[in-house]
């Protein structure tokens, strides 16, 4: 069991960042919580139950790893806990959705009925959408999202929650890996954190935003992706979705800087925690002045002024939002004309993150009017 734990990769003396930090300035609400870090070494979105055999060269045992970690932690003080927050980023975020109810059921079966199990899924709410440009499924990067999971679940002997599994035909359990499909079936409260323009989603959709100016079709696709993702979150009780181009946030040291509608992520999580503590176990009622459903409405990547800094993939130099849009090949004159604004006024709004009038309209790009960066 010890080899599955994090002693080598995450020694006790190491200082975590973001939600793992023990510094109140960086982690204002949970800096003194008991934390356990489980390294992602199973490559199965924490769903696998396949051991190594003569037929299978590799073992995929993510679901079983979580089960065994919970068993060991019960003997190390978890049995006296009031709350267990299962958190993860990227594949770990999807893993939270797949495992949070199972962990709650496991603790119940072990006789620990007083532990409230909750989930925090960061950057794991993917869409099973159509790729911008279809490619052959050679690896995890080129595979369409649905095809990657379809193939993976067979290799991993992937386990999905029974309540979700029952919603689909036999052989279509892969649907449960997509947040908007599994979320309605979950019993445990879950807080969803998701960038509206997630870099990992764009990668599997074959949209690349650095190196070459984007074409108008790409830009329309990107805007539509933001709208689609926003729509899938409308019935999620507790969410934080900034209109930024990024991936993962809860373990970043700048996680306190990102805001949606004037509220930071740590503040929103604290509000959610308080609302659950005060008997709103389903999280449907937020406390006054304490929002827990925060979704950006501005329509393009990095239109939120608190978004993390973008760096040029090739030079490593930081870019502000104007430089980023120009880097992607935008004609500021044309954008301003579409919005009914002077170019200087539009640039000022972009700098401050204010959406202009009619900003929900599709913005078009022109690779003819700006040099390639």
């Amino acid at each position: 069991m010890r080899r599955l734990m994090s002693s080598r990769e995450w020694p006790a003396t190491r200082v975590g960042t973001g939600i793992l930090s023990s510094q109140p300035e960086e982690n204002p609400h949970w800096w003194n919580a008991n934390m356990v870090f489980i390294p992602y070494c199973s490559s199965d979105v924490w769903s696998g139950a396949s051991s190594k055999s003569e037929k299978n060269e590799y073992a995929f045992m993510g679901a079983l790893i979580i089960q065994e970690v919970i068993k060991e932690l019960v003997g190390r003080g978890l049995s006296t806990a009031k709350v267990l927050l299962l958190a993860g980023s990227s594949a770990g975020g999807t893993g939270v959705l797949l495992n949070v109810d199972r962990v709650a059921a496991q603790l119940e079966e072990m006789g620990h009925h007083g532990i409230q199990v909750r989930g925090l899924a960061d950057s794991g709410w993917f869409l099973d959408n159509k790729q911008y440009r279809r490619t052959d499924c050679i690896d995890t990067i080129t595979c369409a999202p649905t095809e990657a999971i379809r193939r993976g679940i067979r290799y991993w002997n992937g386990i999905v929650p029974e309540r979700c599994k029952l919603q689909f035909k036999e052989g279509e359990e892969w649907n449960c890996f997509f947040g908007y499909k599994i979320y309605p079936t979950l019993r445990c409260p879950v807080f969803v954190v998701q960038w509206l323009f997630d870099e990992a989603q764009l990668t599997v959709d074959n949209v690349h935003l650095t190196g070459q100016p984007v074409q108008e079709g790409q830009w329309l696709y990107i805007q539509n992706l933001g709208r689609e993702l926003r729509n899938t979150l409308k019935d999620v009780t507790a969410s934080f979705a900034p209109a930024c181009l990024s991936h993962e946030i809860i373990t970043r040291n700048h996680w306190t800087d990102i805001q949606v509608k004037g509220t930071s992520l740590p503040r929103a999580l604290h509000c959610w925690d308080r609302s659950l503590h005060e008997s709103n176990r389903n999280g449907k009622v937020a406390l006054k002045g304490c929002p827990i459903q925060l979704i950006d409405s501005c329509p393009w990547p990095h239109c939120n002024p608190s978004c993390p800094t973008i760096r040029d993939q090739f030079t490593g130099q930081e870019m502000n939002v104007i430089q980023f849009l120009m880097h992607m090949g935008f004609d500021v004159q044309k954008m301003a004309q579409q919005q009914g604004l002077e170019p200087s006024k539009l640039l000022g709004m972009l700098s401050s993150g204010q959406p202009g009038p009619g900003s929900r309209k599709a913005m078009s790009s022109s690779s003819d009017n700006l040099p390639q960066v």
Side-chain angles (χ1 to χ4, degrees):
M1 177 61 199
R2 185 153 300 281
R3 63 190 175 82
L4 301 178
M5 299 298 283
S6 55
S7 57
R8 284 174 293 179
E9 294 85 354
W10 193 270
T13 54
R14 178 170 173 176
V15 177
T17 54
I19 202 169
L20 293 173
S21 175
S22 59
Q23 304 302 313
E25 315 82 59
E26 188 173 334
N27 188 12
H29 304 301
W30 289 323
W31 62 272
N32 62 345
N34 294 308
M35 303 178 194
V36 175
F37 178 83
I38 313 174
Y40 182 44
C41 56
S42 57
S43 303
D44 57 6
V45 199
W46 296 102
S47 72
S50 174
S51 57
K52 186 176 179 180
S53 66
E54 291 182 6
K55 291 183 179 179
N56 300 321
E57 184 180 355
Y58 300 101
F60 300 99
M61 305 182 76
L64 303 182
I65 289 172
I66 291 178
Q67 190 177 71
E68 292 303 311
V69 169
I70 294 298
K71 282 182 185 177
E72 181 159 326
L73 292 178
V74 163
R76 292 173 175 264
L78 179 59
S79 58
T80 62
K82 293 180 179 178
V83 175
L84 170 61
L85 179 65
L86 190 67
S89 296
S90 195
T94 309
V96 167
L97 298 170
L98 291 170
N99 287 281
V100 64
D101 278 1
R102 188 178 302 114
V103 168
Q106 180 184 355
L107 289 169
E108 288 270 345
E109 289 167 8
M110 296 175 72
H112 304 291
H113 306 283
I115 304 173
Q116 299 175 35
V117 180
R118 304 169 185 169
L120 171 56
D122 167 29
S123 302
W125 187 275
F126 294 104
L127 300 183
D128 53 343
N129 59 342
K130 186 177 179 181
Q131 290 174 297
Y132 172 69
R133 187 181 69 256
R134 190 184 178 281
T135 52
D136 292 332
C137 184
I138 299 170
D139 52 34
T140 55
I141 300 299
T142 57
C143 272
T146 51
E147 185 58 28
I149 295 300
R150 273 196 187 102
R151 295 189 184 193
I153 200 170
R154 294 196 300 268
Y155 291 125
W156 310 326
N157 189 24
I159 299 173
V160 301
E162 194 65 25
R163 278 166 59 90
C164 184
K165 185 177 180 180
L166 291 173
Q167 303 296 311
F168 303 99
K169 296 177 183 177
E170 186 176 352
E172 295 187 359
E173 296 86 354
W174 57 266
N175 282 282
C176 296
F177 283 73
F178 294 95
Y180 74 99
K181 294 183 177 182
I182 190 174
Y183 178 84
T185 72
L186 297 178
R187 286 193 170 104
C188 293
V190 174
F191 193 109
V192 176
V193 181
Q194 188 67 38
W195 303 107
L196 290 181
F197 304 96
D198 188 274
E199 289 175 319
Q201 179 77 56
L202 288 168
T203 297
V204 296
D205 286 337
N206 288 319
V207 177
H208 306 286
L209 295 184
T210 52
Q212 296 287 337
V214 299
Q215 302 301 310
E216 184 168 358
Q218 283 179 304
W219 181 238
L220 294 174
Y221 181 93
I222 291 164
Q223 284 192 304
N224 188 59
L225 174 66
R227 283 193 294 270
E228 284 185 9
L229 205 143
R230 192 181 291 114
N231 286 338
T232 67
L233 293 171
K234 67 181 186 297
D235 294 324
V236 174
T237 303
S239 59
F240 187 88
C244 306
L245 174 70
S246 195
H247 185 60
E248 304 185 357
I249 180 174
I250 61 172
T251 56
R252 309 296 190 194
N253 55 17
H254 62 254
W255 81 308
T256 57
D257 300 333
I258 315 302
Q259 295 191 3
V260 175
K261 299 175 182 176
T263 300
S264 69
L265 177 53
R267 168 70 175 161
L269 286 169
H270 183 55
C271 288
W272 177 61
D273 186 52
R274 282 180 55 200
S275 71
L276 293 173
H277 270 308
E278 296 189 17
S279 299
N280 297 321
R281 290 294 302 275
N282 58 8
K284 288 182 179 176
V285 181
L287 300 174
K288 186 176 180 181
C290 212
I292 59 173
Q293 193 176 40
L294 295 155
I295 304 172
D296 258 338
S297 56
C298 60
W300 62 83
H302 266 61
C303 55
N304 179 328
S306 71
C307 287
T309 301
I310 307 173
R311 290 187 180 274
D312 185 288
Q313 180 180 343
F314 301 104
T315 67
Q317 291 183 327
E318 293 185 357
M319 293 186 287
N320 61 32
V321 66
I322 299 170
Q323 291 169 326
F324 169 64
L325 289 173
M326 293 182 69
H327 180 67
M328 291 199 297
F330 285 103
D331 183 340
V332 175
Q333 191 85 25
K334 189 173 180 181
M335 290 169 65
Q337 188 178 4
Q338 285 182 339
Q339 301 296 305
L341 298 169
E342 291 295 321
S344 58
K345 175 77 170 176
L346 176 62
L347 290 174
M349 286 182 165
L350 291 174
S351 297
S352 63
Q354 300 172 21
S359 62
R360 290 184 181 274
K361 296 177 184 176
M363 308 287 284
S364 63
S365 64
S366 170
S367 57
D368 298 325
N369 298 321
L370 285 172
Q372 180 179 326
V373 179

